[in-house]
Amino acid sequence: DEMLRIPLIIAGPEKLKQRVTINHPVSIIDVAPTIVDLFDKEVPQTYQGVSAISKKHPGIAVGTHEGRWRVTTAEWTYLSATEGRGPELYHHTDKAQQSNVIAKHPDVADRLNAKMERVAAACRRHPYQGTAIEKVMMPSKVEQGLKSLGYIQ
């Protein structure tokens, strides 16, 4: 799964003495709280994510993909329904995500959907959700490149 297999190596000053390997999925919003936690600092409440080394981390990655909510555990990937497309569930042995097994595992889909709903509700409550963000000025070549990759419109 190209959305999850992104290695992250953090090296720091002597203060960062612990060596940590995280073997569960982590969302990008969990990176900043994790770095703060590695330095034994308190994670600000304005951060949406949860430190990946915290016992509070749910062991899942949640985000959006092609306009759909996506929940990934060590074993499963669940994609929410959208107009014209039903929900999908893939086992991680199906690397290319070719075989939707939601009919065989409705209990797993229901559990992951419930987790997705909790995260979506938390995002809607977050103080920065829905605030206007001004357009970032960038060189036109960079903007064209981001557009061609589908990152911006």
Side-chain angles (χ1 to χ4, degrees):
D1 188 338
E2 73 279 358
M3 299 294 290
L4 290 174
R5 306 290 182 223
I6 303 169
L8 174 64
I9 300 170
I10 301 170
E14 189 121 348
K15 285 183 183 177
L16 187 61
K17 292 182 180 175
Q18 62 190 45
R19 184 182 190 124
V20 178
T21 301
I22 299 166
N23 293 315
H24 56 78
V26 176
S27 297
I28 193 71
I29 63 171
D30 298 328
V31 173
T34 302
I35 292 169
V36 171
D37 199 11
L38 284 168
F39 283 94
D40 291 323
K41 302 292 182 189
E42 190 172 327
V43 177
Q45 290 198 341
T46 54
Y47 285 19
Q48 280 187 304
V50 177
S51 169
I53 61 173
S54 164
K55 289 183 170 114
K56 293 179 183 179
H57 194 278
I60 62 172
V62 179
T64 58
H65 179 68
E66 297 178 356
R68 304 168 82 182
W69 280 95
R70 175 190 193 98
V71 180
T72 304
T73 68
E75 190 175 6
W76 301 98
T77 294
Y78 171 81
L79 293 164
S80 66
T82 59
E83 251 183 69
R85 289 180 81 174
E88 298 172 31
L89 181 69
Y90 299 98
H91 193 269
H92 279 237
T93 55
D94 178 8
K95 301 279 187 218
Q97 296 184 343
Q98 298 295 310
S99 181
N100 181 1
V101 295
I102 199 163
K104 293 179 185 174
H105 302 282
D107 55 325
V108 174
D110 289 344
R111 182 172 45 87
L112 295 179
N113 184 61
K115 287 184 181 198
M116 183 257 326
E117 290 290 340
R118 283 194 299 276
V119 171
C123 289
R124 286 189 291 271
R125 289 190 308 268
H126 192 272
Y128 294 115
Q129 193 275 334
T131 58
I133 299 174
E134 293 181 30
K135 183 177 178 180
V136 175
M137 297 303 294
M138 65 183 86
S140 62
K141 188 175 183 179
V142 172
E143 187 172 0
Q144 289 170 352
L146 291 172
K147 283 180 181 178
S148 73
L149 294 169
Y151 289 115
I152 60 173
Q153 295 181 2

XYZ file of all heavy atoms in Angstrom, residues 82-148:
522
model
N -18.853 6.308 -1.063
C -19.095 7.630 -1.639
C -20.198 7.468 -2.670
O -20.637 6.350 -2.948
C -17.840 8.206 -2.340
O -17.441 7.311 -3.375
C -16.706 8.437 -1.379
N -20.612 8.576 -3.254
C -21.637 8.487 -4.288
C -21.175 7.564 -5.404
O -20.109 7.752 -5.981
C -21.893 9.886 -4.868
C -23.225 10.451 -4.453
C -23.481 11.792 -5.087
O -23.687 11.849 -6.309
O -23.445 12.764 -4.332
N -21.943 6.564 -5.677
C -21.618 5.654 -6.764
C -20.652 4.537 -6.410
O -20.423 3.645 -7.219
N -20.077 4.569 -5.216
C -19.142 3.509 -4.801
C -19.472 3.084 -3.381
O -19.591 3.913 -2.485
C -17.701 4.016 -4.837
C -17.174 4.227 -6.235
C -15.768 4.729 -6.219
N -14.836 3.627 -6.015
C -13.522 3.773 -6.065
N -12.994 4.949 -6.304
N -12.732 2.748 -5.875
N -19.589 1.798 -3.196
C -19.853 1.276 -1.861
C -18.564 1.194 -1.055
O -17.473 1.413 -1.581
N -18.680 0.863 0.212
C -17.473 0.708 1.022
C -16.655 -0.485 0.542
O -17.193 -1.407 -0.069
C -18.011 0.495 2.431
C -19.387 -0.024 2.248
C -19.888 0.562 0.966
N -15.363 -0.444 0.819
C -14.468 -1.525 0.403
C -13.600 -1.948 1.577
O -13.272 -1.133 2.437
C -13.580 -1.054 -0.751
C -14.353 -0.673 -1.995
C -13.486 -0.037 -3.067
O -12.289 -0.372 -3.158
O -14.006 0.805 -3.813
N -13.224 -3.211 1.583
C -12.356 -3.765 2.617
C -11.329 -4.666 1.958
O -11.686 -5.540 1.163
C -13.179 -4.571 3.638
C -12.391 -5.191 4.789
C -11.865 -4.111 5.731
C -13.276 -6.178 5.557
N -10.070 -4.440 2.282
C -8.987 -5.242 1.706
C -8.095 -5.779 2.817
O -7.776 -5.070 3.769
C -8.133 -4.395 0.749
C -8.940 -3.864 -0.406
C -9.444 -2.569 -0.395
C -9.229 -4.681 -1.494
C -10.208 -2.091 -1.444
C -9.994 -4.211 -2.543
C -10.482 -2.914 -2.511
O -11.245 -2.454 -3.557
N -7.704 -7.029 2.665
C -6.740 -7.629 3.580
C -5.344 -7.248 3.100
O -5.115 -7.096 1.900
C -6.895 -9.155 3.609
C -6.159 -9.770 4.739
N -4.863 -10.203 4.620
C -6.532 -9.989 6.023
C -4.456 -10.680 5.787
N -5.447 -10.569 6.653
N -4.409 -7.110 4.011
C -3.077 -6.663 3.622
C -2.264 -7.690 2.836
O -1.230 -7.354 2.269
C -2.298 -6.159 4.847
C -2.700 -4.760 5.181
N -1.819 -3.732 5.256
C -3.925 -4.223 5.404
C -2.472 -2.620 5.529
N -3.743 -2.896 5.642
N -2.764 -8.912 2.745
C -2.100 -9.874 1.865
C -2.408 -9.565 0.403
O -1.702 -10.018 -0.485
C -2.530 -11.317 2.190
O -3.959 -11.401 2.126
C -2.033 -11.730 3.573
N -3.456 -8.776 0.179
C -3.848 -8.341 -1.171
C -3.197 -6.977 -1.414
O -3.828 -5.933 -1.319
C -5.379 -8.246 -1.245
C -5.892 -7.764 -2.595
O -5.096 -7.634 -3.545
O -7.113 -7.500 -2.678
N -1.916 -7.001 -1.722
C -1.122 -5.766 -1.856
C -1.678 -4.806 -2.908
O -1.620 -3.600 -2.746
C 0.334 -6.096 -2.192
C 1.017 -6.971 -1.168
C 1.482 -6.180 0.007
C 2.298 -7.062 0.927
N 2.081 -6.816 2.312
N -2.223 -5.321 -3.984
C -2.738 -4.477 -5.059
C -4.189 -4.061 -4.820
O -4.759 -3.329 -5.617
C -2.620 -5.200 -6.395
N -4.767 -4.526 -3.726
C -6.155 -4.234 -3.380
C -7.090 -4.506 -4.561
O -7.836 -3.649 -5.013
C -6.294 -2.801 -2.862
C -5.536 -2.598 -1.574
C -5.711 -1.228 -0.968
O -6.138 -0.291 -1.622
N -5.367 -1.103 0.296
N -7.057 -5.733 -5.001
C -7.876 -6.165 -6.128
C -9.132 -6.914 -5.702
O -10.067 -7.017 -6.466
C -7.048 -7.067 -7.061
C -5.861 -6.385 -7.683
C -6.271 -5.265 -8.614
O -7.115 -5.443 -9.473
N -5.683 -4.097 -8.440
N -9.133 -7.455 -4.476
C -10.241 -8.296 -4.045
C -10.936 -7.683 -2.825
O -10.471 -7.813 -1.698
C -9.715 -9.693 -3.712
O -10.757 -10.538 -3.325
N -12.066 -7.019 -3.058
C -12.852 -6.421 -1.990
C -13.535 -7.547 -1.212
O -14.367 -8.266 -1.752
C -13.887 -5.461 -2.589
C -14.740 -4.775 -1.546
O -14.571 -4.972 -0.348
N -15.664 -3.959 -2.011
N -13.174 -7.714 0.065
C -13.691 -8.825 0.867
C -14.708 -8.369 1.911
O -14.931 -9.047 2.906
C -12.531 -9.605 1.541
C -11.666 -10.285 0.490
C -11.700 -8.699 2.437
N -15.346 -7.235 1.658
C -16.285 -6.698 2.643
C -17.451 -7.652 2.911
O -17.916 -7.765 4.047
C -16.772 -5.289 2.240
C -17.356 -4.581 3.463
C -17.750 -5.340 1.083
C -17.485 -3.090 3.296
N -17.915 -8.373 1.907
C -19.031 -9.311 2.094
C -18.631 -10.480 2.989
O -19.460 -11.024 3.720
C -19.522 -9.819 0.743
N -17.363 -10.860 2.965
C -16.884 -11.978 3.787
C -16.568 -11.553 5.219
O -16.522 -12.401 6.112
C -15.615 -12.572 3.170
C -15.835 -13.251 1.844
C -14.514 -13.783 1.310
C -14.692 -14.363 -0.076
N -13.407 -14.765 -0.672
N -16.332 -10.259 5.436
C -15.913 -9.766 6.759
C -16.685 -8.507 7.160
O -16.090 -7.469 7.443
C -14.416 -9.483 6.765
C -13.573 -10.656 6.422
N -13.294 -11.654 7.323
C -12.969 -11.011 5.261
C -12.540 -12.565 6.740
N -12.336 -12.214 5.484
N -18.038 -8.584 7.210
C -18.804 -7.377 7.554
C -18.514 -6.863 8.959
O -18.589 -5.661 9.216
C -20.258 -7.821 7.398
C -20.225 -9.300 7.531
C -18.888 -9.735 6.984
N -18.154 -7.774 9.883
C -17.838 -7.363 11.255
C -16.592 -6.476 11.294
O -16.545 -5.480 12.013
C -17.657 -8.586 12.157
C -16.606 -9.557 11.621
O -16.487 -9.701 10.378
O -15.890 -10.174 12.429
N -15.591 -6.810 10.506
C -14.373 -6.003 10.432
C -14.699 -4.647 9.827
O -14.272 -3.604 10.340
C -13.277 -6.716 9.597
C -12.062 -5.809 9.398
C -12.860 -8.023 10.261
N -15.479 -4.648 8.749
C -15.865 -3.389 8.103
C -16.642 -2.501 9.070
O -16.385 -1.293 9.155
C -16.688 -3.671 6.851
N -17.568 -3.077 9.840
C -18.341 -2.298 10.807
C -17.441 -1.692 11.880
O -17.598 -0.529 12.262
C -19.420 -3.166 11.464
C -20.554 -3.534 10.517
O -20.677 -2.890 9.442
O -21.295 -4.473 10.849
N -16.494 -2.476 12.375
C -15.568 -1.995 13.412
C -14.710 -0.846 12.888
O -14.548 0.183 13.540
C -14.685 -3.153 13.886
C -13.719 -2.790 14.987
C -13.005 -4.015 15.555
N -12.512 -4.955 14.567
C -11.322 -4.869 13.966
N -10.502 -3.885 14.246
N -10.954 -5.775 13.087
N -14.171 -0.997 11.661
C -13.327 0.049 11.089
C -14.145 1.282 10.712
O -13.674 2.414 10.850
C -12.544 -0.480 9.894
C -11.517 -1.566 10.238
C -10.821 -2.043 8.983
C -10.508 -1.070 11.262
N -15.374 1.073 10.270
C -16.248 2.198 9.963
C -16.530 3.004 11.235
O -16.538 4.237 11.209
C -17.553 1.729 9.327
C -18.418 2.897 8.910
O -18.030 3.711 8.084
N -19.584 2.992 9.506
N -16.744 2.321 12.348
C -16.996 3.007 13.621
C -15.775 3.838 14.036
O -15.908 4.973 14.494
C -17.354 1.992 14.706
N -14.574 3.278 13.848
C -13.352 4.040 14.157
C -13.243 5.255 13.253
O -12.895 6.349 13.697
C -12.116 3.156 14.008
C -11.972 2.138 15.106
C -10.695 1.357 14.977
C -10.609 0.339 16.101
N -9.291 -0.171 16.309
N -13.541 5.070 11.988
C -13.489 6.168 11.037
C -14.471 7.268 11.429
O -14.139 8.445 11.397
C -13.794 5.645 9.634
C -13.702 6.658 8.533
S -15.267 7.313 7.878
C -16.412 6.015 7.944
N -15.669 6.889 11.847
C -16.681 7.865 12.256
C -16.206 8.665 13.474
O -16.422 9.874 13.541
C -18.012 7.177 12.567
C -18.714 6.616 11.359
C -19.265 7.693 10.439
O -19.447 8.849 10.863
O -19.524 7.369 9.262
N -15.536 8.000 14.431
C -15.028 8.711 15.612
C -13.956 9.720 15.222
O -13.934 10.839 15.708
C -14.488 7.710 16.639
C -15.578 7.011 17.425
C -15.039 6.286 18.642
N -14.087 5.232 18.348
C -14.403 3.986 18.019
N -15.670 3.622 17.936
N -13.472 3.094 17.779
N -13.063 9.323 14.321
C -12.006 10.241 13.878
C -12.603 11.406 13.095
O -12.231 12.561 13.308
C -10.940 9.499 13.038
C -9.982 10.472 12.395
C -10.182 8.511 13.914
N -13.546 11.121 12.219
C -14.182 12.183 11.436
C -14.889 13.171 12.350
O -14.798 14.389 12.156
C -15.160 11.579 10.425
N -15.565 12.668 13.384
C -16.255 13.553 14.329
C -15.247 14.410 15.088
O -15.466 15.606 15.294
C -17.091 12.730 15.306
N -14.113 13.821 15.475
C -13.084 14.579 16.184
C -12.499 15.668 15.285
O -12.232 16.780 15.736
C -11.980 13.642 16.677
N -12.329 15.358 14.003
C -11.809 16.361 13.062
C -12.795 17.516 12.913
O -12.390 18.671 12.824
C -11.536 15.732 11.692
S -10.118 14.641 11.679
N -14.082 17.205 12.908
C -15.086 18.268 12.782
C -15.099 19.156 14.015
O -15.418 20.334 13.942
C -16.472 17.664 12.548
C -16.648 17.107 11.144
C -18.089 16.720 10.871
N -18.522 15.560 11.636
C -18.398 14.299 11.221
N -17.831 14.033 10.063
N -18.825 13.304 11.963
N -14.740 18.616 15.198
C -14.709 19.397 16.435
C -13.417 20.177 16.619
O -13.326 21.039 17.468
C -14.889 18.476 17.642
C -16.266 17.913 17.808
C -16.422 17.226 19.155
N -15.373 16.252 19.417
C -15.438 14.958 19.124
N -16.501 14.483 18.518
N -14.447 14.145 19.420
N -12.389 19.851 15.852
C -11.079 20.474 16.046
C -11.175 21.971 15.787
O -11.814 22.405 14.837
C -10.039 19.834 15.114
C -8.648 20.224 15.465
N -8.056 21.345 14.951
C -7.757 19.669 16.306
C -6.844 21.458 15.449
N -6.639 20.459 16.274
N -10.502 22.797 16.624
C -10.635 24.249 16.496
C -10.172 24.817 15.163
O -10.634 25.868 14.754
C -9.772 24.797 17.637
C -8.884 23.680 18.049
C -9.618 22.414 17.715
N -9.279 24.145 14.446
C -8.785 24.683 13.185
C -9.569 24.175 11.986
O -9.393 24.636 10.887
C -7.298 24.349 13.009
C -6.449 25.039 14.025
C -5.761 24.299 14.966
C -6.367 26.427 14.073
C -4.996 24.919 15.934
C -5.606 27.055 15.038
C -4.910 26.301 15.966
O -4.164 26.909 16.916
N -10.455 23.208 12.210
C -11.221 22.652 11.097
C -12.139 23.731 10.544
O -12.818 24.430 11.291
C -12.037 21.452 11.570
C -12.628 20.616 10.475
C -13.960 21.125 9.959
O -14.690 21.790 10.651
N -14.246 20.819 8.724
N -12.131 23.889 9.270
C -13.027 24.826 8.626
C -12.536 26.256 8.566
O -13.211 27.109 8.040
N -11.370 26.531 9.118
C -10.872 27.900 9.049
C -10.301 28.149 7.668
O -9.792 27.250 7.007
C -9.792 28.179 10.111
O -8.720 27.251 9.925
C -10.346 28.028 11.518
N -10.393 29.381 7.229
C -9.892 29.732 5.900
C -8.374 29.718 5.899
O -7.730 30.184 6.836
C -10.401 31.110 5.508
N -7.813 29.179 4.859
C -6.361 29.173 4.689
C -6.061 29.943 3.426
O -6.597 29.643 2.359
C -5.811 27.731 4.592
C -6.125 26.973 5.880
C -4.318 27.738 4.308
C -5.762 25.511 5.830
N -5.233 30.957 3.563
C -4.899 31.760 2.393
C -4.061 30.941 1.424
O -3.340 30.038 1.818
C -4.110 32.998 2.826
C -4.938 33.964 3.648
C -4.126 35.179 4.044
O -3.204 35.566 3.295
O -4.428 35.734 5.093
N -4.162 31.299 0.163
C -3.373 30.619 -0.856
C -1.891 30.873 -0.599
O -1.480 31.994 -0.348
C -3.754 31.123 -2.244
C -3.021 30.396 -3.343
C -3.461 30.850 -4.711
C -2.636 30.112 -5.750
N -2.997 30.486 -7.088
N -1.126 29.821 -0.647
C 0.314 29.917 -0.437
C 0.963 30.346 -1.745
O 0.669 29.793 -2.804
C 0.889 28.554 0.016
C 2.390 28.610 0.125
C 0.249 28.130 1.320
N 1.812 31.336 -1.671
C 2.534 31.793 -2.866
C 3.679 30.823 -3.137
O 4.451 30.504 -2.232
C 3.068 33.204 -2.652
C 1.978 34.241 -2.443
S 0.772 34.322 -3.780
C 1.768 34.897 -5.121
N 3.771 30.356 -4.361
C 4.839 29.437 -4.730
C 5.186 29.663 -6.193
O 4.365 30.176 -6.952
C 4.411 27.987 -4.493
C 3.261 27.513 -5.373
S 2.735 25.830 -5.008
C 1.586 26.106 -3.686
N 6.384 29.293 -6.573
C 6.766 29.422 -7.981
C 5.797 28.648 -8.871
O 5.315 27.572 -8.494
C 8.167 28.825 -8.035
C 8.686 28.897 -6.639
C 7.482 28.759 -5.760
N 5.503 29.164 -10.041
C 4.526 28.529 -10.928
C 4.943 27.113 -11.303
O 4.094 26.234 -11.476
C 4.293 29.377 -12.179
O 5.481 29.498 -12.924
N 6.247 26.870 -11.424
C 6.719 25.519 -11.766
C 6.349 24.520 -10.662
O 5.915 23.405 -10.943
C 8.234 25.552 -11.986
C 8.805 24.263 -12.519
C 10.281 24.416 -12.824
C 10.837 23.150 -13.418
N 12.257 23.277 -13.756
N 6.483 24.934 -9.416
C 6.112 24.077 -8.290
C 4.608 23.851 -8.287
O 4.129 22.731 -8.128
C 6.577 24.700 -6.949
C 6.030 23.914 -5.767
C 8.092 24.777 -6.894
N 3.844 24.924 -8.490
C 2.391 24.817 -8.522
C 1.930 23.871 -9.630
O 1.076 23.011 -9.423
C 1.757 26.197 -8.702
C 0.249 26.181 -8.585
C -0.355 27.579 -8.582
O 0.395 28.563 -8.678
O -1.586 27.655 -8.479
N 2.525 23.978 -10.824
C 2.173 23.095 -11.936
C 2.493 21.637 -11.601
O 1.713 20.736 -11.908
C 2.902 23.522 -13.204
C 2.395 24.814 -13.790
C 3.302 25.316 -14.912
O 4.375 24.789 -15.168
N 2.842 26.374 -15.594
N 3.627 21.432 -10.968
C 4.009 20.069 -10.577
C 3.035 19.479 -9.582
O 2.624 18.319 -9.705
N 2.628 20.263 -8.578
C 1.662 19.790 -7.585
C 0.302 19.512 -8.226
O -0.370 18.554 -7.881
C 1.532 20.803 -6.438
C 2.756 20.922 -5.531
C 2.589 22.081 -4.578
C 3.033 19.630 -4.794
N -0.100 20.362 -9.174
C -1.358 20.146 -9.891
C -1.303 18.847 -10.693
O -2.241 18.070 -10.711
C -1.686 21.318 -10.791
C -2.236 22.512 -10.068
C -2.549 23.647 -11.026
C -3.089 24.850 -10.297
N -3.364 25.986 -11.185
N -0.177 18.626 -11.379
C -0.057 17.424 -12.206
C -0.104 16.146 -11.381
O -0.509 15.095 -11.866
C 1.221 17.470 -13.045
O 2.357 17.253 -12.219
